[in-house]
């Protein structure tokens, strides 16, 4: 074997050795990459499950809170309805009455600077009574407005509770 043949054999052996080292390194890096990926996926799944469990607990607590508040709301509404019906019945039968306010005197502070001040205000005298059916309608309209305010307050309270949960706070009891 000549020197040139020995050099070619040595170069071929070095090339095979380098190819083997490169394949081994690639295998090890790939295995480490796969292991890291699997660990990251497992950690992500565990975190997702923990977040899902927390969200379900919060939702369950919020639903229970809303159910309790809805029950209280409807109980109060039934009391308001019965009270309104009683008040309307009393007004229709003449037991109670609504009166128009009497014309009041002008307040002294309302006089312009170039005019004399009005006399001191007199106490309101009872005005004319309102027709019983109209008085009952007035009470019904006032109750409807009060009901809208209560519904708005309930809606605002529910919105605030949902927003607090969405911002990460646990539902308030």
């Amino acid at each position: 074997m000549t020197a040139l043949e020995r050099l070619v054999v040595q170069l071929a052996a070095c090339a095979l050795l380098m190819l083997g080292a490169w394949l081994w390194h690639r295998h090890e890096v790939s295995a480490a990459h796969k292991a890291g990926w699997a660990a990251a996926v497992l950690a992500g799944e565990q975190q997702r499950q923990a977040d899902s469990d927390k969200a379900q607990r919060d939702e369950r607590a919020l639903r229970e809170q809303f159910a309790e508040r809805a029950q209280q709301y409807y109980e109060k509404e039934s009391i308001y309805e019965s009270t309104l019906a009683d008040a309307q019945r009393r007004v229709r039968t003449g037991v109670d009455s609504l009166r128009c306010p009497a014309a009041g005197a002008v307040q002294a502070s309302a006089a312009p600077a170039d005019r004399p001040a009005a006399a001191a205000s007199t106490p309101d005298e009872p005005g004319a009574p309102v027709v019983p059916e109209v008085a009952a309608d007035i009470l019904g309209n006032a109750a409807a407005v009060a009901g809208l305010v209560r519904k708005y307050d309930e809606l605002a309270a529910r919105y605030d509770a949902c927003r607090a949960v969405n911002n990460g706070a646990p539902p308030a009891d």
Side-chain angles (χ1 to χ4, degrees):
M1 204 187 271
T2 65
L4 183 60
E5 291 174 343
R6 274 188 296 216
L7 181 62
V8 169
V9 170
Q10 288 175 350
L11 285 176
C14 281
L16 284 176
L17 184 63
M18 288 178 68
L19 179 65
W22 178 77
L23 289 174
W24 175 82
H25 177 70
R26 183 171 175 209
H27 170 72
E28 289 298 316
V29 168
S30 176
H33 184 268
K34 286 178 182 175
W37 180 268
V41 167
L42 180 63
E45 285 293 321
Q46 290 172 344
Q47 183 64 41
R48 186 198 59 78
Q49 187 62 39
D51 291 345
S52 175
D53 292 344
K54 181 185 180 303
Q56 287 176 351
R57 282 192 309 273
D58 288 350
E59 180 183 2
R60 192 175 311 114
L62 193 60
R63 286 183 187 275
E64 290 171 0
Q65 178 186 357
F66 284 169
E68 181 181 325
R69 289 179 70 156
Q71 181 63 31
Q72 292 172 353
Y73 176 80
Y74 289 121
E75 288 172 1
K76 286 181 184 178
E77 285 298 312
S78 65
I79 292 170
Y80 291 140
E81 288 175 11
S82 65
T83 304
L84 171 64
D86 290 344
Q88 286 177 326
R89 183 181 34 76
R90 286 193 313 270
V91 167
R92 284 187 180 115
T93 59
V95 174
D96 291 337
S97 65
L98 294 180
R99 295 190 173 275
C100 291
V106 176
Q107 297 293 327
S109 62
D114 61 345
R115 296 193 182 171
S121 61
T122 59
D124 287 339
E125 297 176 11
V130 176
V131 176
E133 263 318 299
V134 174
D137 288 343
I138 291 171
L139 290 175
N141 290 340
V145 169
L148 289 174
V149 170
R150 286 191 303 274
K151 285 179 184 177
Y152 174 79
D153 289 343
E154 179 65 20
L155 179 66
R158 283 181 177 224
Y159 174 78
D160 291 341
C162 288
R163 188 164 186 175
V165 169
N166 283 341
N167 290 334
D173 290 330

